[in-house]
Amino acid sequence: MTSISGRAWVFGDGVNTDVMAPGLFFKAPLEVLAAHCMEAIEPAFAANIVVGDIVVAGRNFGVGSAREQAPMALQHLGVGAILAESYGRIFYRNALSFGIPTLLFPQAGEIVAGDELVIDPLAGRIENRTRAKMYTVAGLPEHLMAMVSAGGLMPYLKQRLSAQGAS
Amino acid sequence: MGYSIAQKIIARAAGRDSVTPGEIVTCSVDLALLLDSGGPRRIWPRLKELGAGVWDPDKIVVVTDHFTPAVDAESAAILQLTRDFVREFEIPRFFDMQGIGHVVLTENGFVQPGMFACGGDSHSSNGGAFGCYMVGFGAIEMTGVVVTGEIWLQVPETVRVNWSGAFGPGVAAKDIMLMLCRELGINNAFKVIEFGGDTVAGMTMNERATLTNMAAEMGAETGIVEPDDTTLAAIRAGGQHPDAAALDWCSDADTDYEAVHNFVATELAPQVAAPHSPANSGPVGEVTNVRVDQAYIGACVGAKLSDLHMVAEVLNGRTVAGGTRLLIAPASQQVIVDATTDGTMKILVDAGAYLLPTGCGACAALGAGILAEDEVCISSTNRNFKGRMGANSASVYLGSPYTVAASAVAGQIADPREMLV
Ligand code: SF4
């Protein structure tokens, strides 16, 4: 997995999955749902995000519902990586299962909206180019590296099933 | 040092003698709950992509609840796909339009002490009331479960929460959970909340399930209650036969808990959580002059038979205030049957309640009863995030069934104790 670079979108604590994927648009196709991602708290998000941009958040990012449409909407909009102080557990697992690099970042509060970030998810290196600062955080857990590197759970399951088929 | 019931179940499911918090293990799954929301509609296309089938149809339970009854072409298609999936993979335990999955599961005695179960929904922790380790995952991970019968887990710490003493009138398990969301916070990822003490031991299974259901609101891995005779009686009432050794699943006396908290139920006042978080809670007396457009009794957590009994206790001989609507979506068909048989339903409709079909309803803005712009709702559901029940500008307060019913009568958020004396 190569490094990821993009602008930071900064959110506070406790951003929940209902806000990322509102139930009102649940039956709509992903592109419609994604257009309303974060609308309740940051109406400009879906329209202005650029592919590769990075979501930076405080504590308990993705708390709440198990809806996988939350990370799917972020991925559809082009989010390159997620950095937060802590995560809702199902969101964290879902995001990794979609192959989105999702790192614990205790110093998330030091990032300002629009900062240029470069991230190496496996090594756990985060560079803030705008403020010329480097951070080292825990890289992806070892048992998940294979899955995230493969691009997520689906490609990983494919590898596993074809290995079984071959043996 | 001893082990908690959660650690013992994980160790058994992982084929290990013991496990330590923090380590990563792979567990075999005894039961997988799939709902119409994140179940077949999201899993089946992935099975096709993988060219794979389901690992064990006998270990899967499928329930339609989020999109029932069909109200438009999309929900009809989702339900149809769910039925086709069940037929294709010959899944014997399918409950179509019978109620909310978490409640259907417990009503049928399917979750039993010592099981390692998972569900494609965050409130899967509901099943933990029965002394099993039941935990929610997203549909992508449930795809992995359905194909392999396995899931990875980082062994969680256990936090023990003891409650002692009897509730005062108008206070219920829901008030415990709204209070705990505030006191212990909603950031308990990778922790199991184990509920105990004489208050919990004296609770019905419905009330215990309210505790474990809302462990999800605390952000926990799951919630759990050690099994006892009440647990086994409920499983038998569901038509199942619990293992003779079921009561051996319990925490050791010298369990190494991450923390132990002791609370007294006698002192607890009815709680209300203000918008937009379950942690934004306080005694009902602190919420004054909040006019209510809609009072909602619904969801896996707040529309079981015991919840309707609480509502009826308040509504008996009273009527819903003008300008306020009281909507009731019972948690299952069985609840409708039981509440009709025992006379509860008559009290509810005589008071002016508007009855909705069973299912998730307005809880997640998927079914009937959603809120318009700027409306105010008090709800017996478990979440009040912005936009959760409809318009982003709507305000949702959470309370127990007692408090929701009292507020419907008063037309504003009200203390149920004043109506129960
Ligand atoms: S009733 Fe609400 S909380 Fe319960 S499963 Fe349905 S949507 Fe989720």
Side-chain angles (χ1 to χ4, degrees):
Chain A
M1 181 178 291
T2 50
S3 67
I4 298 149
S5 58
R7 278 182 316 152
W9 287 82
V10 178
F11 295 92
D13 292 340
V15 176
N16 63 73
T17 52
D18 279 76
V19 161
M20 297 182 206
L24 278 182
F25 306 100
F26 245 38
K27 290 175 282 190
L30 184 60
E31 55 271 24
V32 175
L33 178 83
H36 297 276
C37 181
M38 302 291 194
E39 186 176 62
I41 55 167
E42 173 68 84
F45 179 71
N48 293 308
I49 186 166
V50 173
V51 173
D53 279 0
I54 289 153
V55 166
V56 181
R59 283 159 41 111
N60 222 2
F61 188 70
V63 60
S65 154
R67 56 190 69 181
E68 62 177 9
Q69 292 93 326
M72 284 172 91
L74 295 177
Q75 191 172 47
H76 181 83
L77 294 172
V79 168
I82 305 171
L83 307 172
E85 287 173 47
S86 65
Y87 293 94
R89 58 168 286 279
I90 303 182
F91 175 86
Y92 174 72
R93 298 183 61 119
N94 277 344
L96 291 169
S97 299
F98 283 107
I100 307 174
T102 303
L103 299 180
L104 286 163
F105 185 32
Q107 298 97 334
E110 296 177 14
I111 307 296
V112 178
D115 283 359
E116 285 288 334
L117 306 181
V118 182
I119 300 170
D120 180 338
L122 294 187
R125 261 196 305 277
I126 299 168
E127 180 187 357
N128 187 336
R129 289 240 164 110
T130 308
R131 285 162 220 285
K133 260 195 112 161
M134 287 291 290
Y135 302 89
T136 308
V137 299
L140 288 174
E142 202 177 329
H143 74 290
L144 291 177
M145 275 202 198
M147 181 183 78
V148 179
S149 299
L153 182 59
M154 282 294 288
Y156 185 65
L157 280 175
K158 269 183 209 162
Q159 286 176 7
R160 198 176 140 171
L161 289 171
S162 68
Q164 272 175 7
S167 67
Chain B
M1 266 303 178
Y3 298 99
S4 72
I5 174 172
Q7 289 161 358
K8 291 181 187 179
I9 297 172
I10 294 169
R12 200 265 308 144
R16 301 263 299 267
D17 291 335
S18 66
V19 290
T20 327
E23 70 174 315
I24 308 276
V25 292
T26 299
C27 294
S28 344
V29 172
D30 300 313
L31 182 145
L33 173 67
L34 305 182
L35 306 178
D36 54 358
S37 51
R41 79 189 266 234
R42 312 207 76 87
I43 290 172
W44 203 358
R46 293 185 176 127
L47 293 184
K48 287 178 184 159
E49 192 184 330
L50 294 168
V54 310
W55 106 100
D56 187 347
D58 292 335
K59 289 188 174 158
I60 296 175
V61 177
V62 181
V63 183
T64 60
D65 54 9
H66 282 64
F67 295 105
T68 57
V71 290
D72 53 21
E74 289 85 2
S75 47
I78 291 168
L79 294 175
Q80 184 180 47
L81 180 147
T82 308
R83 294 174 189 128
D84 289 347
F85 176 88
V86 166
R87 218 169 292 128
E88 170 82 15
F89 294 103
E90 298 176 8
I91 293 166
R93 290 187 286 182
F94 176 42
F95 296 84
D96 194 11
M97 302 177 72
Q98 293 300 304
I100 304 167
H102 306 301
V103 174
V104 168
L105 210 58
T106 57
E107 275 176 354
N108 285 281
F110 290 155
V111 277
Q112 301 192 13
M115 270 189 173
F116 184 96
C118 45
D121 186 274
S122 60
H123 289 102
S124 300
S125 55
N126 191 76
F130 285 71
C132 67
Y133 191 88
M134 180 150 189
V135 60
F137 298 98
I140 178 83
E141 290 206 277
M142 288 307 287
T143 307
V145 169
V146 163
V147 173
T148 65
E150 291 178 345
I151 186 107
W152 69 267
L153 209 70
Q154 180 169 357
V155 179
E157 294 276 4
T158 303
V159 173
R160 171 90 181 189
V161 177
N162 291 314
W163 283 84
S164 63
F167 287 133
V171 181
K174 179 67 172 285
D175 297 304
I176 284 187
M177 292 316 295
L178 292 176
M179 182 269 206
L180 288 179
C181 284
R182 173 180 80 241
E183 294 296 324
L184 302 184
I186 55 173
N187 200 358
N188 291 290
F190 304 108
K191 290 178 193 175
V192 170
I193 313 292
E194 182 182 301
F195 298 93
D198 60 78
T199 315
V200 177
M203 282 182 185
T204 62
M205 292 313 292
N206 274 347
E207 283 284 271
R208 292 183 193 178
T210 296
L211 304 178
T212 57
N213 180 293
M214 284 191 65
E217 273 50 61
M218 296 175 71
E221 181 84 6
T222 189
I224 198 164
V225 179
E226 294 165 279
D228 58 13
D229 291 334
T230 307
T231 319
L232 301 188
I235 293 169
R236 287 192 196 104
Q240 308 297 320
H241 309 285
D243 203 83
L247 296 186
D248 294 348
W249 291 103
C250 59
S251 295
D252 292 331
D254 59 345
T255 293
D256 188 14
Y257 293 112
E258 191 203 52
V260 179
H261 302 277
N262 296 303
F263 298 100
V264 182
T266 5
E267 294 162 5
L268 187 67
Q271 305 283 306
V272 168
H276 299 285
S277 165
N280 201 7
S281 68
V284 62
E286 289 176 3
V287 186
T288 48
N289 291 323
V290 177
R291 174 194 59 77
V292 171
D293 296 301
Q294 175 167 315
Y296 186 76
I297 296 290
C300 46
V301 76
K304 295 165 284 191
L305 187 63
S306 50
D307 301 311
L308 299 197
H309 286 164
M310 293 180 212
V311 177
E313 222 182 299
V314 174
L315 290 188
N316 200 0
R318 297 190 170 85
T319 48
V320 174
T324 298
R325 52 184 192 269
L326 170 61
L327 272 49
I328 300 182
S332 71
Q333 284 292 105
Q334 191 59 51
V335 170
I336 295 178
V337 170
D338 293 344
T340 306
T341 310
D342 73 8
T344 302
M345 205 57 95
K346 178 158 170 34
I347 297 173
L348 305 183
V349 291
D350 279 351
Y354 185 97
L355 205 59
L356 294 172
T358 182
C360 293
C363 172
L366 301 175
I370 65 176
L371 300 170
E373 295 290 344
D374 301 318
E375 282 196 318
V376 177
C377 176
I378 181 154
S379 177
S380 71
T381 54
N382 40 31
R383 282 190 183 136
N384 60 344
F385 297 144
K386 214 171 181 181
R388 166 91 177 168
M389 292 182 73
N392 283 334
S393 60
S395 302
V396 179
Y397 292 79
L398 302 176
S400 76
Y402 285 126
T403 305
V404 173
S407 306
V409 169
Q412 57 178 12
I413 292 179
D415 189 333
R417 291 173 296 188
E418 290 158 17
M419 298 187 196
L420 291 170
V421 284

